[in-house]
Amino acid sequence: MIGTSAADVQRACIVPLGDAAALVRFADRLDDQANRAALALADALERSPITGVLEIAPSLVSVLVRYDSDVIDLVRLSGEIGLRLSSEAAPSAAKIHDIAVRFGGEDGPDLLEVAAQSGLTPSEFIAQHNAQPLRVLTTGFAPGFVYCGFHSQEMTVPRRSSVRARVPVGSVLFAAGQTAITATEVPTGWHVIGRTEFCNFNAFANPPTVLSAGDNLVFSAL
Amino acid sequence: MSARLKLLRCGPLTTIQDAGRYNGLRHGVSASGPMDAGAFARAGILAGTSGTTGIEFTTGGIALKSVEGTVRIGWSGGDFRAAVDGVAVPWSSGADLQPGSVLEIAAGAWGNFGYLRFSGEIDVPALMGSRATSMRARIGGLDGRALRQEDELTIVGAGLERQTVDAVDQDLSPVRFIWGIHAEQFTKDVRQRFVNSSFFVTAAMDRMGFRLKDAGNVFEGKSSLSLVSEPVLPGDVQILGDGTPIVLMRDHQPTGGYPRIATVIRADLDRLAQMRPGTELAFTSVTVEHAQALWRSRQK
């Protein structure tokens, strides 16, 4: 179900983020419908631009709208955003990407642990992990770093208690009902379950990332 | 017309910057850009620059030599001392640096960041529409890294006429902010104490953020809430799990999950960036409309 239902529109709340941006928030916590609503609004803002808006950045359950305060004020901006909240969502044109992953071993040192925490054998865990396509929820935290969700409740494990100072490019991370893929070396408290050759960030390319929020990823084991 | 410069000495965190790399947040890249954008602009006017780039340096100072060609340089920022071939020159100001001549800069009485801008452009590639160094994303500038001794930079393109600008004095009046996107998650008492207490800039400060010392223990023992990650902008004041406030600066993480009580207004971010470790600061709240009016008057 993609689109903004009446309930989403009511839940959307616009808060100032400093004096040159606003955050349109659809929920206080991570929520599938709120994520879809955020992506739909970002899409509507792209299709029907507001004069004075400089940048739109969809996130997990909110959309950042950066604006030129010499061109538009917060009141008018909020009104224009409100109009786009109630507009019809465009037909879904989600792209599908195949992501081949080497699970476990040196590439995924935490696979055994998360499988055990989920009450599964490693191969059962991999099968369940790959059973459904995952949706890209947002890009953030680091260049090209994507959050993908959602896994079933039984596959939901907390983060690690300690942080790894650096995991390599292409690390496939798992926590909080989501899978994330790194595109640069980053520190992380998420479980490292595998590694992919796929790299989502290239500063020399335009656009610099391959995946967009809303795209579907089909994972397979190498 | 081109010139070649060689860095004889530079402190840590010396980077090539331009106005910043915007439209990258959706790709996980924050804008970067100069910590003191106003001083960066003033150095450009003093250089008569036709380019967008400049060098940001810190209290470690910088020394460079023209190894080929004459280059027009402008300098501004916090308070620093400048000399060309051992002869003191005014701060902020500019000069033509002749082949073989050396410009040396050392820290003065206040400020963290200084800027050098040149007649033309520093010859480094633009990435995602900008030449700014992002220390976090490791892109831009010279191979996405800080500059170091022995680096050589080529300046390309002719300059414009050099102009003068008014000097800017240190301003330690309260830093103005707009209540943050999680302000309502803090009690009224904590919000009130946030504006009535003193904070100090600590030595844990860099282009990513300034850690503050919470002298009044405003946030002591406040357990961090588990928040969904949301987009971050420079000036956001986030409170870590142990109660440490951090003002996020130009190389901030693009998203963050710590509660943010305030966002420093654009008109005050430059002078906050120039507050040295040990500087006492206070916060005061303003409305969005007032902040925007201040921004407009500052641009004139």
Side-chain angles (χ1 to χ4, degrees), chain B residues 255-279:
Chain B
T255 51
Y258 288 109
R260 281 172 265 161
I261 191 169
T263 302
V264 174
I265 69 172
R266 283 175 294 167
D268 280 2
L269 199 57
D270 287 355
R271 63 188 183 86
L272 189 146
Q274 294 289 11
M275 291 181 184
R276 280 196 186 160
T279 304

Side-chain angles (χ1 to χ4, degrees), chain B residues 185-266:
Chain B
Q185 312 250 10
F186 295 88
T187 64
K188 198 178 164 202
D189 176 57
V190 167
R191 292 203 302 267
Q192 204 151 50
R193 288 172 61 206
F194 176 64
V195 292
N196 291 332
S197 291
S198 280
F199 295 87
F200 290 86
V201 176
T202 70
M205 47 143 285
D206 59 19
R207 287 188 44 85
M208 294 178 197
F210 277 33
R211 276 182 188 240
L212 304 182
K213 185 179 162 200
D214 175 11
N217 294 323
V218 176
F219 300 106
E220 191 182 39
K222 303 291 181 293
S223 64
S224 95
L225 305 150
S226 181
L227 297 170
V228 57
S229 279
E230 287 185 303
V232 169
L233 284 180
D236 275 341
V237 183
Q238 69 174 24
I239 311 301
L240 300 188
D242 66 359
T244 303
I246 298 185
V247 188
L248 295 161
M249 302 303 276
R250 305 287 177 184
D251 281 349
H252 62 85
Q253 269 185 214
T255 51
Y258 288 109
R260 281 172 265 161
I261 191 169
T263 302
V264 174
I265 69 172
R266 283 175 294 167

Side-chain angles (χ1 to χ4, degrees), chain A residues 25 46 67 69 141 144 209, chain B residues 26-27 181 255 266 292 296:
Chain A
R25 198 186 260 160
E46 296 285 350
Y67 62 96
S69 61
F141 175 63
T209 52
Chain B
R26 62 166 52 216
H27 304 295
I181 59 167
T255 51
R266 283 175 294 167
Q292 291 173 347
R296 270 193 295 276

Side-chain angles (χ1 to χ4, degrees), chain A residues 17-21 25 28 46 54-56 59 62 64 66-67 69-70 139 141-144 166 203-204 208-209, chain B residues 22-28 127-128 137-138 178 181-182 228 230-231 233 236 253-255 263 266 291-292 296 299:
Chain A
L17 202 180
D19 55 334
R25 198 186 260 160
D28 294 338
E46 296 285 350
L54 302 174
E55 180 170 15
I56 299 152
S59 191
S62 53
L64 176 79
R66 214 164 49 74
Y67 62 96
S69 61
D70 291 346
T139 305
F141 175 63
R166 190 157 285 183
F204 294 90
T209 52
Chain B
Y22 293 93
N23 277 312
L25 281 177
R26 62 166 52 216
H27 304 295
L127 281 175
M128 297 173 65
R138 294 194 220 158
I178 289 158
I181 59 167
H182 304 116
V228 57
E230 287 185 303
L233 284 180
D236 275 341
Q253 269 185 214
T255 51
T263 302
R266 283 175 294 167
Q292 291 173 347
R296 270 193 295 276
Q299 285 174 307

